[in-house]
């Protein structure tokens, strides 16, 4: 039986090549994902570990603990604590670390790196072991900085050049006095690092006399554990905690692995989809192969082969096919992993240097997935063939499915579909994240149900195409009949395309609806022409509002100034605004009272008001961070939006209680409205600062939507894999169908149907099957898009369903194109059959 199975594989090489390709693509995606994520994770971890080479023990401040009506002061790492740490027995040296956001402009005035990776810090003394200088000297004073070598190279700076940079808004123009190298993982990943002397860094980052961290290096012969124990004796427990350098490296490695696991899971989901689609193709292929070999298998049964041996021979074929596909898929996956890493560099996402990582786990997973998927898909056709009595197989009386089996299949499909719809509808009644799990379960049940019902659905839906097919005469009529001749095979072929289009359509519906909702959100919350903020979301200097308010054409400004407070034993963040102009800059719906801010009068969003049981006229006491208290009165309750929420009070009331005021945003109203010249005037007033964004409503909307658009485009690219696999499935089915119907095609040629007619028949059959899958996929996609939108609507008040009719028409055309392309080779093969040879074939 083993030799028989191998001969069968070798005898049907052409028929199995599509199956090998389908499995190979899925395995390549899985192995490519594992190679890529393991390589990136390993590179980041090694780079991160190098960054802790100069740290044996790190002293870090404890978090703030608010109690009662008091806002606790943030614990500080002072110079006195650093001096104590340096004198501890076993300590070789101690360095005070200061860091913060620092945006650097290149020679063209554009931001170097990406905002969140633009960092600044302090250079310790004249020779900092963390940052070996390659050129120049250490920075001294506020007009000197040192740059990391990679940033200097990318931005085109050298020692002696003047650099434009910003820490919290105002533009600074220090001179480069030194270029240094660093093992900082942030820099290795494409970020930038600018270093000031310690006093300047403390002043710029608003940490006068303080440090963010104290790094202690052990003396020769002292272990990290021993040094940490010694430091624990002098470091107050309520001020700071100590951590060894090894622990910091391990924690960083864990964080990197955790961050990469999300990406890995997402990519593996799409690999799973491709494999799921491929499973249909494999099952379809083996079903047809077994059907074509029915008499051969029956003869084997007649000469003594048992059912198990017949099933085993089919599984051996599947094992060989799966092994070949898995090995080639693994090789392709290694190439995909290397290509994805290179692509990240092309897209500007720099990755630390490191080797390509192909772990034993990746190899084992690729082989296991490829072989297991193929054998599972082939098991049912093999088992079904083994159960056919030899005499029945010889006379082909087994060819049609029994009425009982069809009724059972349709009943099961109806139950799954009904359960899926019910669970999805139930999920839409839940709130946000609570509905995600039921929604996923319902979606899986519904897709399984529709797949089971597809043979039943194929007849009426394909029959609906009959009027159009009549236009093509005999070829069109034959194509329709061929499409419904074997509903199960048609269903399996169409389902592969259906799954891909379901996901693509569902995501497109959600993306279009989100875009509309974001546009509404941006326009409904504010009347300001522009919103000014830092590129990385950090706080702005109060000087920004002062400059903007005195700019020509500006009629009103209001900074949004956040500060913690204690109210009724809870920490609530207050938003300071310009009470005189906030009404002209916002467009919020007042539900109770009036929108009046000034003195001790505040307005509160509906959610905060409900949590404290406040209404217009309610009074409450707020404790500020300086320890002072203020009795405030609620003049109005407004409806919160994604852009505006919280307790708003006048900056004149809030600012005196703040030790270091800063603004999250500044809203600006101009006499000329939003226009190119006005925006340029505002940017000029701010010194064309690369760290600051000046955005109108459309810019805000695009900024938010950009993330969704990028994600959607990535998902389209990933789902293209599933569509490619589906195309292979259609080609495979048609090729097998042509082989199966060789005698019939020969008879059609003999009675007068020319080669063009044969080609047209096969192409129309392919087109009908693909459009059938496309209609099902788009229909399910719209349903899932609507359902997911109902969940989003609980978190986004402006959400509304928008159906992208143009895109959906494009997807239907895509399904038609799949059908046309997939039929090219099978149609050509059918037309070239020799009619006499075909008539004599079995």
């Amino acid at each position: 039986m083993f030799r028989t199975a191998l001969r069968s594989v070798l005898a049907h090489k052409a028929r199995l090549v599509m199956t090998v390709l389908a499995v190979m693509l899925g395995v390549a995606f899985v192995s490519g994902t594992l190679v890529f994520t393991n390589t990136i994770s390993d590179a980041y971890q090694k780079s991160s570990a190098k960054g802790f080479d100069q740290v044996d023990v790190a002293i870090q401040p404890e978090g703030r603990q608010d109690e009662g009506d008091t806002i606790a002061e943030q614990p500080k790492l002072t110079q006195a604590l650093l001096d104590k740490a340096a004198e501890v027995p076993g300590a070789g040296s101690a360095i005070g670390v200061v860091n913060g956001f620092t945006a650097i402009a290149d020679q063209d005035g554009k931001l170097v790196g990406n905002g969140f990776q633009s960092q600044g810090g302090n250079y310790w003394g004249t020779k900092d072991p963390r940052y070996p200088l390659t050129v120049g000297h250490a920075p001294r004073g506020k007009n000197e900085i040192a740059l990391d070598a990679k940033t200097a190279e990318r931005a085109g700076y050298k020692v002696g050049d003047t650099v434009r940079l910003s820490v919290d808004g105002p533009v600074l123009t220090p001179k480069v006095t030194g270029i240094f190298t660093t093992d900082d993982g942030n820099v290795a990943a494409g970020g930038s690092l600018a270093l000031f002397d310690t006093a300047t860094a403390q002043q710029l980052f608003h940490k006068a006399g303080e440090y963010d961290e104290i790094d202690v290096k052990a003396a020769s012969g002292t272990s990290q554990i021993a040094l940490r124990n010694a430091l624990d004796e002098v470091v107050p427990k309520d001020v700071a905690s100590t951590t060894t350098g090894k622990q910091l490296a391990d924690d960083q490695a864990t964080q990197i692995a955790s961050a990469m696991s999300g990406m890995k899971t997402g990519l593996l989901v799409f690999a799973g989809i491709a494999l799921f689609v491929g499973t249909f193709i494999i099952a379809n292929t083996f079903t047809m192969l077994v059907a074509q070999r029915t008499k051969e298998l029956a003869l084997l049964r007649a000469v003594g082969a048992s059912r198990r041996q017949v099933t085993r021979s089919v599984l051996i074929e599947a094992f060989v096919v799966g092994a070949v596909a898995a090995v080639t898929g693994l090789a392709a996956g290694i190439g995909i992993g290397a290509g994805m890493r290179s692509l990240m560099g092309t897209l500007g996402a720099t990755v630390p240097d490191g080797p390509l990582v192909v772990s034993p786990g990746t190899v084992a997973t690729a082989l296991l997935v490829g072989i297991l998927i193929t054998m599972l898909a082939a098991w049912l056709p093999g088992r079904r063939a083994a159960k056919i009595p030899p005499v029945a197989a010889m006379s082909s009386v087994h060819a049609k499915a029994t009425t009982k089996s069809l009724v059972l299949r349709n009943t099961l499909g109806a139950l799954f579909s009904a359960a899926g719809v019910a669970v999805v509808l139930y999920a839409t009644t839940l709130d946000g994240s609570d509905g995600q799990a039921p929604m996923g379960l319902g979606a899986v049940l519904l897709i399984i149900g529709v797949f089971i019902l597809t043979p039943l659905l194929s007849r009426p839906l394909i029959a609906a195409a009959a009027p159009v097919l009549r236009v093509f005469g005999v070829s069109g009529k034959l194509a329709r009949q061929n499409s419904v001749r074997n509903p199960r095979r048609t269903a399996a072929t169409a389902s592969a395309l259906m799954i891909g289009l379901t996901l693509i359509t569902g995501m497109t519906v959600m993306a279009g609806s989100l875009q509309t909702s974001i546009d509404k959100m941006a326009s409904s919350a504010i009347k300001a022409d522009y919103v000014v903020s830092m590129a990385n979301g950090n706080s702005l200097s109060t000087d920004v509002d002062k400059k903007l308010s005195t700019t020509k054409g500006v009629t009103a400004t209001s900074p949004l100034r956040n500060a913690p407070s204690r109210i009724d034993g809870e920490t609530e963040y207050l938003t300071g605004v310009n009470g005189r102009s906030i009404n002209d800059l916002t467009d919020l719906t007042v539900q109770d009272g009036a929108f009046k801010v000034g003195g001790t009068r505040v307005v509160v969003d509906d959610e905060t008001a409900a949590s404290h049981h406040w209404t217009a006229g309610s009074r409450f006491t707020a404790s500020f961070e300086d320890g002072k208290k203020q009795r405030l009165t609620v003049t109005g309750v407004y409806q919160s939006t994604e852009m505006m929420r919280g307790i708003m009070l006048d900056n004149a009331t809030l600012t005196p209680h703040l030790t270091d005021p800063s603004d999250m945003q500044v809203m600006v109203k101009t006499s000329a409205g939003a226009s190119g010249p006005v925006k340029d005037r505002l940017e000029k007033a701010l010194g064309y600062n690369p760290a600051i964004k000046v955005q109108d409503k459309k810019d805000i909307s695009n900024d938010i939507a950009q993330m969704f658009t990028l994600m959607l485009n990535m998902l389209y690219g990933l789902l293209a894999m599933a569509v490619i696999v589906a195309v292979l499935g259609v080609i495979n089915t048609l090729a097998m169908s042509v082989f199966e119907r060789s005698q019939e095609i020969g008879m059609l040629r003999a009675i007068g149907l020319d080669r063009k007619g044969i080609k047209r028949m096969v192409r129309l059959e392919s087109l009908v099957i693909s459009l059938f899958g496309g209609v099902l996929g788009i229909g399910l996609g719209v349903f899932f898009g609507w359902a997911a939108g109902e969940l989003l609507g609980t978190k986004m008040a402006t959400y509304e369903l928008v159906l992208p009719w143009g895109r959906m028409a494009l997807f239907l055309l895509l399904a038609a194109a799949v059908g046309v392309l997939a039929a090219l080779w099978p149609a050509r093969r059918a037309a070239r059959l020799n009619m006499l040879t075909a008539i004599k074939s079995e």
Side-chain angles (χ1 to χ4, degrees), residues 56 88-93 216-224 227:
D56 284 319
V88 164
S93 62
V216 185
K217 187 74 175 170
S220 179
T222 304
S223 69
Q224 291 187 352
L227 178 59

Side-chain angles (χ1 to χ4, degrees), residues 15-27 274-290 314-315 317-319 321-322 325 369-382 492-493 496 725 728-730 732-733 736:
R15 302 183 214 168
L16 292 171
V17 68
M18 295 299 174
T19 304
V20 171
L21 280 172
V23 182
M24 186 199 77
L25 283 172
V27 172
L275 284 169
F276 185 55
V277 172
T279 303
F280 293 139
I281 299 171
I282 301 163
N284 226 10
T285 301
F286 276 93
T287 298
M288 287 185 281
L289 285 174
V290 169
V314 175
L315 290 177
E317 289 182 48
F319 175 82
V321 171
V369 166
I371 294 170
L372 197 62
I373 289 289
T374 309
M375 292 184 70
L376 282 175
W379 175 76
L380 190 59
T493 306
V725 174
L728 292 174
V730 179
N732 212 12
T733 299
M736 294 261 183

Side-chain angles (χ1 to χ4, degrees), residues 325-406:
V327 171
T328 53
L330 175 61
I334 293 171
I336 288 172
M340 288 175 72
R341 175 173 174 167
S342 299
L343 181 63
M344 286 188 72
T346 305
L347 296 174
T350 309
V351 179
D353 295 330
L356 201 65
V357 178
V358 184
S359 68
T362 299
V363 176
T365 301
L367 295 175
L368 185 66
V369 166
I371 294 170
L372 197 62
I373 289 289
T374 309
M375 292 184 70
L376 282 175
W379 175 76
L380 190 59
R383 185 170 176 271
R384 192 184 296 136
K387 290 174 70 176
I388 301 169
V391 175
M394 292 283 192
S395 58
S396 297
V397 298
H398 66 288
K400 292 186 179 179
T402 63
T403 304
K404 181 181 177 181
S405 70
L406 291 174

